[in-house]
Amino acid sequence: MTVLLERLPERPKNRSAGRLLTAAQLAGSLGDGAFLTCSVLFFTRIAGLTPAQVGLGLTLGWAVGSVAGVPLGRLADRHGTRGSAVLLALATGTSILAFLVVRSPVAFVLAACVYGSCQTGLAAVRQALLAALADPERRTRVRAHLQSAGNAGLAVGAGLGGLALSADTAAAYLTVFVLDAAAFVVTAALLHALPRAPRAFPRPGAPKSAVLRDRPYALVTLLNAVLLLRMPLLSVAIPLWIADHTAAPGWTVSALFVLNTVVVVALQVRVAGRLTSLGSAARMVRRSGVVLLASCVAFALSALGTSPAVAFAVLVAGALVQVLGEMLQSAGSWEIGFALAPADKQGEYQGFFGSGTSVARAVGPVLLSTVVIGGGVAGWLLLGVVFLAAGWAMGPAVRWAAATR
């Protein structure tokens, strides 16, 4: 973790900003890792909800969050990104504690909507804060450091959540929820310690909902959302695929998760460092589509044969290819999202661009379990072709958007 904090490239006049942003990302993701690991079991075993009610509530929560990102980002543009980020971090911690008193489906849906909105809004405002504090040529590299720190935090938090799963008691789950809420209080404190971000005042006569009228940016956001369907691969599609279609041992799921985390922590910054322009970012996203197609082919091939060792080896190869595509897509999309957003509307635009993450979280599990698990090898190939098409289309979409800035 120390390396992540010390090697971050920083703006000369805000030398501590990079370290504080990274520390805030690390704190929040550590709490999230613990929460995500055991929250579903808390909701079903302690709160008394059914798996279907939990799934529906979380889907609705992230769907509402995907819509809330734009108005929350617009408020941050108007009233200041640092203060907005602090308030949203505190609100996120409060929404996590609210889950502890939820005992009905309606209350759970309401709590999930507040949680999803706060998380999405916080992610958008932190992006805008980064854009304001980092030089344009460095912000994608700084964002890569934040991604590495976030993955490291998720891994450590997942280990803490695993301890709660082992205990499987109400007290253990309560501890995890309190830990997650406390992590966001720490996040708020770190964000408050940041230098005040420069204000960029809107141009006279500019429309209030500019991003909703920006069709080129909307297309870029849509294509990015399609590529973000790679997010539920390891958490939803791969576990079901391994259990139902391959001879690989059950612990393969954990091994692939650890492998993904380690590679991102080690190499994401290096991949992002290859970016030199908006055009190189579009080419990087196009290559990610090709690589993600190759990973889908490898995952499909893992179902052939009956040897556990061979199936494990093929899955590891597929996971290595997939994480390369993930890093290419992440770095390229960060640069595209930053570069095409007006300087005075970064919060609003980052809220819209970041809605792709919420959409992937909301519809990805259902879509992947239906198309991939239900379709078998053909389903994997279809998903790969979708990745390829979205990656290829990003180039023309970015050129269109750049021509209209």
Side-chain angles (χ1 to χ4, degrees), residues 186-219:
V186 174
T187 298
L190 291 167
L191 292 172
H192 186 266
L194 283 167
R196 187 179 296 276
R199 293 288 300 275
F201 295 96
R203 296 182 301 274
K208 291 184 178 180
S209 301
V211 71
L212 301 181
R213 305 165 187 263
D214 194 335
R215 288 182 295 174
Y217 198 87
L219 177 58

Side-chain angles (χ1 to χ4, degrees), residues 126-225:
R126 281 198 295 199
Q127 287 283 85
L129 193 57
L130 169 60
L133 293 177
D135 293 325
E137 65 272 13
R138 292 184 173 180
R139 57 194 174 193
T140 295
R141 184 173 175 83
V142 173
R143 183 63 182 83
H145 278 277
L146 301 187
Q147 181 77 356
S148 296
N151 274 42
L154 286 173
V156 175
L160 297 175
L163 296 177
L165 290 177
S166 300
D168 195 22
T169 64
Y173 294 128
L174 171 65
T175 301
V176 166
F177 277 63
V178 173
L179 172 65
D180 193 15
F184 278 97
V185 173
V186 174
T187 298
L190 291 167
L191 292 172
H192 186 266
L194 283 167
R196 187 179 296 276
R199 293 288 300 275
F201 295 96
R203 296 182 301 274
K208 291 184 178 180
S209 301
V211 71
L212 301 181
R213 305 165 187 263
D214 194 335
R215 288 182 295 174
Y217 198 87
L219 177 58
V220 168
T221 300
L222 174 62
L223 293 173
N224 187 59

Side-chain angles (χ1 to χ4, degrees), residues 256-347:
L256 297 184
F257 178 80
V258 172
L259 176 65
N260 179 276
T261 301
V262 170
V263 173
V264 171
V265 171
L267 298 179
Q268 182 67 80
V269 175
R270 182 174 300 179
V271 171
R274 297 165 56 190
L275 284 173
T276 57
S277 64
L278 185 59
S280 66
R283 290 190 293 274
M284 187 171 284
V285 173
R286 183 180 61 199
R287 288 194 292 270
S288 77
V290 177
V291 175
L292 289 172
L293 168 62
S295 73
C296 289
V297 172
F299 289 137
L301 292 176
S302 67
L304 304 180
T306 59
S307 169
V310 172
F312 176 78
V314 175
L315 286 166
V316 168
L320 286 172
V321 176
Q322 186 272 335
V323 73
L324 174 59
E326 173 184 335
M327 292 187 295
L328 291 170
Q329 185 271 329
S330 295
S333 66
W334 295 332
E335 178 63 23
I336 290 168
F338 281 133
L340 294 177
D344 61 326
K345 296 183 181 296
Q346 279 288 349

